[in-house]
Amino acid sequence: RRIQKLLAPFCGLAGPIKVLDIGCGNGSALDRFRSISRRPIETTGLDFNEQALGSVAQKQHKVLKGRIEDLSLPREHFDIIYSSNVIEHVAEPMAMMKKISSALKPGGVFHCETPNFDSFDARVFSASGYWGGFHFPRHWTFFTADTLGKMVGQAGLKVESVAYYPVPIF
């Protein structure tokens, strides 16, 4: 349903819907975008794992190898930039956000999922060090809706909505 909602605003536009998945892994989200879209769609996966990108390329998705902070992305190119549980792994989240802002077309959508450091379970378990979102050493930065929203604004984007989803490990 989340991917359907992301695609909905672009159904009436001319040309293919251009989607970038940051941290695409095996390309399953890109597969889902492609299977749901009723319009032509151009899917691109970004990851630094060469083996994962090989699998993504075999599925006929375009691939970009590297860290988002280090890559040159085309300006105002993507309709949708999707990032599921990636920003907390990034050494320079603001650099990531600025790249995304530049690469989105006017009216484009950035969908970002990350553990919420202000969630009930984070408040209960973080004091003891047992909150699943800590996931050391891989999670470097933690966000609340407020801190992520401020960063989004500083990058020139605006928050359209915030939703909370239960994730068993968090």
Side-chain angles (χ1 to χ4, degrees):
R1 285 183 272 163
R2 286 180 233 163
I3 290 176
Q4 283 177 321
K5 286 173 92 174
L6 288 171
L7 288 168
F10 303 98
C11 289
L13 300 179
I17 301 169
K18 294 181 180 180
V19 176
L20 171 64
D21 182 4
I22 300 170
C24 65
N26 67 5
S28 61
L30 294 172
D31 295 341
R32 193 77 182 131
F33 273 102
R34 188 185 282 156
S35 70
I36 291 174
S37 182
R38 296 180 184 166
R39 295 214 22 253
I41 190 163
E42 182 183 295
T43 52
T44 304
L46 186 157
D47 210 299
F48 54 79
N49 182 312
E50 214 160 305
Q51 184 177 6
L53 287 175
S55 171
V56 173
Q58 285 180 344
K59 297 176 184 182
Q60 307 303 307
H61 303 292
K62 293 180 180 181
V63 296
L64 296 171
K65 183 177 185 281
R67 297 176 341 134
I68 179 112
E69 310 98 304
D70 299 332
L71 294 174
S72 292
L73 296 175
R75 188 162 171 69
E76 297 184 352
H77 181 77
F78 295 101
D79 297 296
I80 299 170
I81 298 181
Y82 182 85
S83 174
S84 178
N85 293 287
V86 173
I87 198 165
E88 66 274 10
H89 298 265
V90 172
E92 300 175 57
M94 191 62 196
M96 175 182 172
M97 201 63 68
K98 287 179 179 177
K99 292 273 181 151
I100 289 163
S101 180
S102 173
L104 272 176
K105 289 180 181 177
V109 175
F110 171 48
H111 175 88
C112 180
E113 295 178 14
T114 189
N116 178 9
F117 195 60
D118 194 35
S119 66
F120 173 76
D121 56 324
R123 289 190 306 264
V124 169
F125 295 110
S126 64
S128 66
Y130 289 109
W131 179 52
F134 283 142
H135 215 271
F136 291 123
R138 299 179 334 138
H139 289 184
W140 303 342
T141 309
F142 301 100
F143 300 94
T144 65
D146 185 51
T147 60
L148 189 59
K150 286 178 182 172
M151 191 170 63
V152 164
Q154 290 172 357
L157 300 169
K158 95 177 178 180
V159 175
E160 291 288 329
S161 67
V162 175
Y164 300 96
Y165 307 104
V167 177
I169 64 166
F170 304 142

